[in-house]
Amino acid sequence: KKFTNLKTGSQKQTTPPARSQTDAIDSRPESNIGHRIRLARTTQDIPPARPPWSQPQSLQLPNADTVMRQVRKLVSGQGVHYRYWPKHVIFSENKPVTLNDDFDQLYNSAVEYQNKYGRDRGNGWLLLHPIEKLRCYQQHIYEQTKTD
């Protein structure tokens, strides 16, 4: 494609990137969501399959990284601490999250935590988006087992 600089009038030839966003997800094992779930899993009920929300059109790679960083903390039982909360405040510490959990209840607990200790300045990327993605994945697994 050619692009014209409106100030100088010069044209610049550009070439598309050699690989698409999808190729990047599939070829980088450290970015593969399924791989990350296998690393994060501490129980047998999180399958190694790649969740449907990991597709580039619904969750971009940097966002997937952010979500998975928080999911690993929730699944391991480490819990999630936020730098703007008091040091002793850790959401879901010593309570490993599994796909058998009620994610609506967990989401409401996260909202209550934020109301009590301070809102997430990242607009949901601390807890709410990761919990919502886990709920979507739980629903996907349920639908898969229902159709089998």
Coordinates of all heavy atoms in Angstrom, one line a residue, residues 17-28 31-33 50 54-65:
P17 N 2.7 -6.8 7.4 CA 3.6 -7.7 8.2 C 3.6 -9.1 7.7 O 2.6 -9.6 7.1 CB 3.0 -7.6 9.6 CG 1.7 -6.9 9.5 CD 1.7 -6.2 8.1
A18 N 4.7 -9.8 7.9 CA 4.8 -11.2 7.3 C 3.8 -12.1 8.0 O 3.4 -13.1 7.4 CB 6.2 -11.7 7.5
R19 N 3.5 -11.9 9.2 CA 2.6 -12.8 10.0 C 1.4 -12.1 10.6 O 1.6 -10.9 11.0 CB 3.4 -13.5 11.1 CG 4.5 -14.3 10.6 CD 5.5 -14.7 11.6 NE 5.0 -14.9 12.9 CZ 5.5 -15.8 13.7 NH1 6.5 -16.6 13.4 NH2 5.0 -16.0 14.9
S20 N 0.3 -12.7 10.6 CA -0.9 -12.1 11.2 C -0.9 -12.3 12.7 O 0.0 -13.1 13.3 CB -2.1 -12.8 10.6 OG -2.2 -14.1 11.1
Q21 N -1.8 -11.7 13.4 CA -1.9 -11.8 14.8 C -2.2 -13.2 15.2 O -1.7 -13.8 16.2 CB -3.1 -10.9 15.3 CG -3.3 -10.9 16.8 CD -2.3 -10.0 17.5 OE1 -1.6 -9.2 16.9 NE2 -2.4 -10.0 18.8
T22 N -3.0 -13.9 14.4 CA -3.4 -15.3 14.6 C -2.1 -16.2 14.6 O -1.9 -17.1 15.4 CB -4.4 -15.8 13.6 OG1 -5.5 -15.0 13.7 CG2 -4.8 -17.2 13.9
D23 N -1.3 -16.0 13.6 CA 0.0 -16.7 13.4 C 0.8 -16.5 14.7 O 1.5 -17.4 15.2 CB 0.8 -16.3 12.2 CG 0.1 -16.6 10.9 OD1 -0.7 -17.5 10.9 OD2 0.4 -16.0 9.9
A24 N 0.9 -15.3 15.2 CA 1.7 -15.0 16.4 C 1.2 -15.8 17.6 O 2.0 -16.3 18.3 CB 1.7 -13.5 16.7
I25 N -0.1 -15.9 17.7 CA -0.6 -16.6 18.9 C -0.3 -18.1 18.7 O 0.1 -18.8 19.7 CB -2.2 -16.4 19.0 CG1 -2.5 -15.0 19.4 CG2 -2.8 -17.5 19.9 CD1 -3.9 -14.7 19.4
D26 N -0.5 -18.7 17.5 CA -0.3 -20.1 17.3 C 1.2 -20.5 17.4 O 1.5 -21.6 17.8 CB -0.9 -20.5 16.0 CG -2.4 -20.5 16.0 OD1 -3.0 -20.5 17.1 OD2 -2.9 -20.4 14.9
S27 N 2.1 -19.6 17.0 CA 3.5 -20.1 16.9 C 4.3 -19.7 18.1 O 5.4 -20.2 18.2 CB 4.2 -19.4 15.6 OG 4.2 -18.0 15.8
R28 N 3.8 -18.9 19.0 CA 4.6 -18.6 20.2 C 4.0 -19.4 21.4 O 3.0 -19.0 22.0 CB 4.5 -17.1 20.5 CG 5.2 -16.3 19.5 CD 5.1 -14.8 19.7 NE 5.2 -14.4 21.1 CZ 4.6 -13.4 21.7 NH1 3.9 -12.6 21.0 NH2 4.8 -13.1 23.0
S31 N 2.8 -17.6 24.4 CA 1.6 -16.8 24.2 C 0.4 -17.6 24.0 O -0.7 -17.1 23.9 CB 1.8 -15.8 23.0 OG 2.8 -14.9 23.3
N32 N 0.5 -18.9 23.8 CA -0.6 -19.8 23.6 C -1.4 -19.9 24.8 O -1.0 -20.4 25.9 CB -0.1 -21.2 23.1 CG -1.2 -22.1 22.7 OD1 -2.0 -22.4 23.6 ND2 -1.2 -22.5 21.5
I33 N -2.7 -19.5 24.7 CA -3.6 -19.5 25.9 C -3.7 -20.9 26.5 O -3.7 -21.1 27.7 CB -4.9 -18.9 25.5 CG1 -4.8 -17.5 25.0 CG2 -5.9 -18.9 26.7 CD1 -4.1 -16.5 25.9
R50 N -7.6 -24.7 24.2 CA -7.6 -23.3 24.1 C -9.0 -22.7 24.2 O -9.8 -23.1 23.4 CB -6.9 -22.9 22.8 CG -6.7 -21.4 22.7 CD -6.6 -21.1 21.2 NE -5.3 -20.5 20.9 CZ -4.8 -20.5 19.7 NH1 -5.4 -21.1 18.8 NH2 -3.8 -19.8 19.4
S54 N -9.9 -16.7 23.4 CA -8.5 -16.4 23.0 C -8.3 -16.1 21.6 O -7.2 -15.7 21.2 CB -7.6 -17.6 23.4 OG -7.8 -18.7 22.5
Q55 N -9.3 -16.2 20.8 CA -9.2 -15.8 19.4 C -9.0 -14.3 19.2 O -9.5 -13.5 20.0 CB -10.5 -16.2 18.6 CG -10.8 -17.7 18.7 CD -9.7 -18.5 18.2 OE1 -9.1 -18.3 17.2 NE2 -9.3 -19.6 19.0
P56 N -8.2 -13.9 18.3 CA -7.7 -12.5 18.2 C -8.9 -11.5 18.1 O -8.8 -10.4 18.6 CB -6.9 -12.5 16.9 CG -6.5 -13.9 16.7 CD -7.5 -14.7 17.3
Q57 N -10.0 -11.9 17.4 CA -11.1 -10.9 17.3 C -11.8 -10.6 18.6 O -12.5 -9.6 18.7 CB -12.1 -11.4 16.2 CG -12.9 -12.6 16.5 CD -12.2 -13.9 16.2 OE1 -11.0 -13.9 15.9 NE2 -13.0 -15.0 16.1
S58 N -11.7 -11.5 19.6 CA -12.4 -11.2 20.8 C -11.5 -10.8 22.0 O -11.9 -10.2 22.9 CB -13.2 -12.5 21.2 OG -12.4 -13.6 21.4
L59 N -10.2 -11.2 21.9 CA -9.3 -10.8 23.0 C -7.9 -10.7 22.4 O -7.3 -11.7 21.9 CB -9.3 -11.8 24.1 CG -8.5 -11.5 25.4 CD1 -9.1 -10.3 26.0 CD2 -8.5 -12.6 26.3
Q60 N -7.4 -9.5 22.3 CA -6.1 -9.3 21.7 C -5.0 -9.8 22.6 O -5.1 -10.0 23.8 CB -5.8 -7.8 21.4 CG -6.8 -7.2 20.4 CD -6.7 -7.8 19.0 OE1 -5.6 -8.1 18.5 NE2 -7.9 -8.1 18.4
L61 N -3.8 -10.2 22.0 CA -2.7 -10.8 22.6 C -2.3 -10.1 23.9 O -2.2 -10.7 25.0 CB -1.6 -11.0 21.7 CG -0.4 -11.9 22.1 CD1 -1.0 -13.3 22.5 CD2 0.6 -12.0 21.1
P62 N -2.1 -8.8 23.9 CA -1.7 -8.1 25.2 C -2.7 -8.2 26.2 O -2.4 -8.4 27.4 CB -1.5 -6.6 24.8 CG -1.2 -6.7 23.3 CD -2.0 -7.8 22.8
N63 N -4.0 -8.2 25.8 CA -5.1 -8.3 26.8 C -5.1 -9.8 27.3 O -5.4 -10.0 28.5 CB -6.4 -7.9 26.2 CG -6.5 -6.5 25.8 OD1 -5.7 -5.7 26.3 ND2 -7.4 -6.1 24.9
A64 N -4.9 -10.7 26.5 CA -4.8 -12.1 26.9 C -3.7 -12.3 27.9 O -3.9 -13.0 28.9 CB -4.7 -13.1 25.7
D65 N -2.6 -11.7 27.7 CA -1.5 -11.8 28.7 C -1.9 -11.2 30.0 O -1.6 -11.8 31.1 CB -0.3 -11.0 28.2 CG 0.4 -11.6 27.0 OD1 0.2 -12.8 26.8 OD2 1.2 -10.9 26.3

